[in-house]
PDB file of all heavy atoms in Angstrom:
ATOM      1  N   CYS A 291      47.968  69.312-167.537  1.00 90.00           N
ATOM      2  CA  CYS A 291      47.537  68.286-166.586  1.00 90.00           C
ATOM      3  C   CYS A 291      46.949  67.054-167.268  1.00 90.00           C
ATOM      4  O   CYS A 291      46.953  65.961-166.703  1.00 90.00           O
ATOM      5  CB  CYS A 291      46.544  68.867-165.580  1.00 90.00           C
ATOM      6  SG  CYS A 291      44.993  69.423-166.324  1.00 90.00           S
ATOM      7  N   ARG A 292      46.424  67.222-168.495  1.00 90.00           N
ATOM      8  CA  ARG A 292      45.867  66.060-169.189  1.00 90.00           C
ATOM      9  C   ARG A 292      46.924  65.020-169.534  1.00 90.00           C
ATOM     10  O   ARG A 292      46.584  63.872-169.814  1.00 90.00           O
ATOM     11  CB  ARG A 292      45.160  66.521-170.467  1.00 90.00           C
ATOM     12  CG  ARG A 292      43.894  67.335-170.217  1.00 90.00           C
ATOM     13  CD  ARG A 292      43.191  67.679-171.506  1.00 90.00           C
ATOM     14  NE  ARG A 292      41.973  68.437-171.266  1.00 90.00           N
ATOM     15  CZ  ARG A 292      41.165  68.855-172.228  1.00 90.00           C
ATOM     16  NH1 ARG A 292      41.449  68.599-173.497  1.00 90.00           N
ATOM     17  NH2 ARG A 292      40.071  69.541-171.917  1.00 90.00           N
ATOM     18  N   GLN A 293      48.175  65.425-169.494  1.00 91.00           N
ATOM     19  CA  GLN A 293      49.246  64.496-169.821  1.00 91.00           C
ATOM     20  C   GLN A 293      49.738  63.704-168.609  1.00 91.00           C
ATOM     21  O   GLN A 293      50.486  62.753-168.781  1.00 91.00           O
ATOM     22  CB  GLN A 293      50.423  65.258-170.445  1.00 91.00           C
ATOM     23  CG  GLN A 293      50.063  65.977-171.722  1.00 91.00           C
ATOM     24  CD  GLN A 293      51.272  66.644-172.347  1.00 91.00           C
ATOM     25  OE1 GLN A 293      52.301  65.999-172.585  1.00 91.00           O
ATOM     26  NE2 GLN A 293      51.173  67.940-172.624  1.00 91.00           N
ATOM     27  N   TRP A 294      49.344  64.127-167.401  1.00 92.00           N
ATOM     28  CA  TRP A 294      49.838  63.400-166.220  1.00 92.00           C
ATOM     29  C   TRP A 294      48.764  63.128-165.174  1.00 92.00           C
ATOM     30  O   TRP A 294      48.806  62.112-164.476  1.00 92.00           O
ATOM     31  CB  TRP A 294      51.000  64.157-165.558  1.00 92.00           C
ATOM     32  CG  TRP A 294      50.666  65.544-165.094  1.00 92.00           C
ATOM     33  CD1 TRP A 294      50.756  66.694-165.803  1.00 92.00           C
ATOM     34  CD2 TRP A 294      50.191  65.933-163.794  1.00 92.00           C
ATOM     35  NE1 TRP A 294      50.367  67.779-165.052  1.00 92.00           N
ATOM     36  CE2 TRP A 294      50.018  67.337-163.803  1.00 92.00           C
ATOM     37  CE3 TRP A 294      49.902  65.229-162.627  1.00 92.00           C
ATOM     38  CZ2 TRP A 294      49.566  68.046-162.694  1.00 92.00           C
ATOM     39  CZ3 TRP A 294      49.451  65.941-161.512  1.00 92.00           C
ATOM     40  CH2 TRP A 294      49.295  67.328-161.558  1.00 92.00           C
ATOM     41  N   LEU A 295      47.754  64.008-165.044  1.00 92.00           N
ATOM     42  CA  LEU A 295      46.775  63.864-163.969  1.00 92.00           C
ATOM     43  C   LEU A 295      45.848  62.653-164.128  1.00 92.00           C
ATOM     44  O   LEU A 295      45.574  61.956-163.138  1.00 92.00           O
ATOM     45  CB  LEU A 295      45.962  65.150-163.842  1.00 92.00           C
ATOM     46  CG  LEU A 295      45.063  65.263-162.600  1.00 92.00           C
ATOM     47  CD1 LEU A 295      45.874  65.120-161.326  1.00 92.00           C
ATOM     48  CD2 LEU A 295      44.312  66.601-162.612  1.00 92.00           C
ATOM     49  N   PRO A 296      45.335  62.334-165.330  1.00 92.00           N
ATOM     50  CA  PRO A 296      44.433  61.186-165.432  1.00 92.00           C
ATOM     51  C   PRO A 296      45.053  59.873-164.972  1.00 92.00           C
ATOM     52  O   PRO A 296      44.344  59.002-164.453  1.00 92.00           O
ATOM     53  CB  PRO A 296      44.104  61.138-166.933  1.00 92.00           C
ATOM     54  CG  PRO A 296      44.266  62.548-167.394  1.00 92.00           C
ATOM     55  CD  PRO A 296      45.412  63.080-166.598  1.00 92.00           C
ATOM     56  N   ALA A 297      46.363  59.728-165.133  1.00 91.00           N
ATOM     57  CA  ALA A 297      47.020  58.483-164.733  1.00 91.00           C
ATOM     58  C   ALA A 297      47.392  58.449-163.258  1.00 91.00           C
ATOM     59  O   ALA A 297      47.839  57.415-162.763  1.00 91.00           O
ATOM     60  CB  ALA A 297      48.282  58.276-165.572  1.00 91.00           C
ATOM     61  N   LEU A 298      47.182  59.578-162.549  1.00 93.00           N
ATOM     62  CA  LEU A 298      47.682  59.662-161.178  1.00 93.00           C
ATOM     63  C   LEU A 298      46.659  60.082-160.147  1.00 93.00           C
ATOM     64  O   LEU A 298      46.811  59.749-158.960  1.00 93.00           O
ATOM     65  CB  LEU A 298      48.870  60.652-161.147  1.00 93.00           C
ATOM     66  CG  LEU A 298      49.579  60.875-159.819  1.00 93.00           C
ATOM     67  CD1 LEU A 298      50.287  59.602-159.354  1.00 93.00           C
ATOM     68  CD2 LEU A 298      50.570  62.025-159.906  1.00 93.00           C
ATOM     69  N   TRP A 299      45.596  60.783-160.524  1.00 93.00           N
ATOM     70  CA  TRP A 299      44.775  61.520-159.565  1.00 93.00           C
ATOM     71  C   TRP A 299      44.248  60.663-158.428  1.00 93.00           C
ATOM     72  O   TRP A 299      44.127  61.122-157.288  1.00 93.00           O
ATOM     73  CB  TRP A 299      43.617  62.214-160.280  1.00 93.00           C
ATOM     74  CG  TRP A 299      42.542  61.288-160.782  1.00 93.00           C
ATOM     75  CD1 TRP A 299      42.469  60.722-162.014  1.00 93.00           C
ATOM     76  CD2 TRP A 299      41.411  60.829-160.051  1.00 93.00           C
ATOM     77  NE1 TRP A 299      41.353  59.922-162.112  1.00 93.00           N
ATOM     78  CE2 TRP A 299      40.672  59.965-160.921  1.00 93.00           C
ATOM     79  CE3 TRP A 299      40.919  61.035-158.753  1.00 93.00           C
ATOM     80  CZ2 TRP A 299      39.509  59.328-160.532  1.00 93.00           C
ATOM     81  CZ3 TRP A 299      39.752  60.398-158.368  1.00 93.00           C
ATOM     82  CH2 TRP A 299      39.057  59.562-159.250  1.00 93.00           C
ATOM     83  N   HIS A 300      43.927  59.390-158.672  1.00 93.00           N
ATOM     84  CA  HIS A 300      43.312  58.539-157.647  1.00 93.00           C
ATOM     85  C   HIS A 300      44.330  57.836-156.768  1.00 93.00           C
ATOM     86  O   HIS A 300      43.985  57.344-155.695  1.00 93.00           O
ATOM     87  CB  HIS A 300      42.391  57.509-158.312  1.00 93.00           C
ATOM     88  CG  HIS A 300      42.984  56.854-159.520  1.00 93.00           C
ATOM     89  ND1 HIS A 300      43.706  55.690-159.471  1.00 93.00           N
ATOM     90  CD2 HIS A 300      42.974  57.241-160.824  1.00 93.00           C
ATOM     91  CE1 HIS A 300      44.102  55.356-160.682  1.00 93.00           C
ATOM     92  NE2 HIS A 300      43.680  56.283-161.533  1.00 93.00           N
ATOM     93  N   TYR A 301      45.588  57.772-157.175  1.00 95.00           N
ATOM     94  CA  TYR A 301      46.603  57.088-156.374  1.00 95.00           C
ATOM     95  C   TYR A 301      46.849  57.771-155.030  1.00 95.00           C
ATOM     96  O   TYR A 301      46.946  57.101-153.994  1.00 95.00           O
ATOM     97  CB  TYR A 301      47.908  56.984-157.179  1.00 95.00           C
ATOM     98  CG  TYR A 301      47.978  55.772-158.076  1.00 95.00           C
ATOM     99  CD1 TYR A 301      47.094  55.611-159.139  1.00 95.00           C
ATOM    100  CD2 TYR A 301      48.924  54.773-157.874  1.00 95.00           C
ATOM    101  CE1 TYR A 301      47.146  54.503-159.967  1.00 95.00           C
ATOM    102  CE2 TYR A 301      48.990  53.659-158.695  1.00 95.00           C
ATOM    103  CZ  TYR A 301      48.094  53.531-159.735  1.00 95.00           C
ATOM    104  OH  TYR A 301      48.149  52.427-160.544  1.00 95.00           O
ATOM    105  N   PRO A 302      46.995  59.096-154.978  1.00 94.00           N
ATOM    106  CA  PRO A 302      47.279  59.749-153.690  1.00 94.00           C
ATOM    107  C   PRO A 302      46.155  59.644-152.668  1.00 94.00           C
ATOM    108  O   PRO A 302      46.375  59.928-151.486  1.00 94.00           O
ATOM    109  CB  PRO A 302      47.529  61.215-154.076  1.00 94.00           C
ATOM    110  CG  PRO A 302      47.926  61.167-155.499  1.00 94.00           C
ATOM    111  CD  PRO A 302      47.122  60.058-156.085  1.00 94.00           C
TER     112      PRO A 302
END
Side-chain angles (χ1 to χ4, degrees):
C291 64
R292 292 184 179 181
Q293 299 183 54
W294 59 271
L295 191 57
L298 182 66
W299 71 268
H300 45 91
Y301 274 64

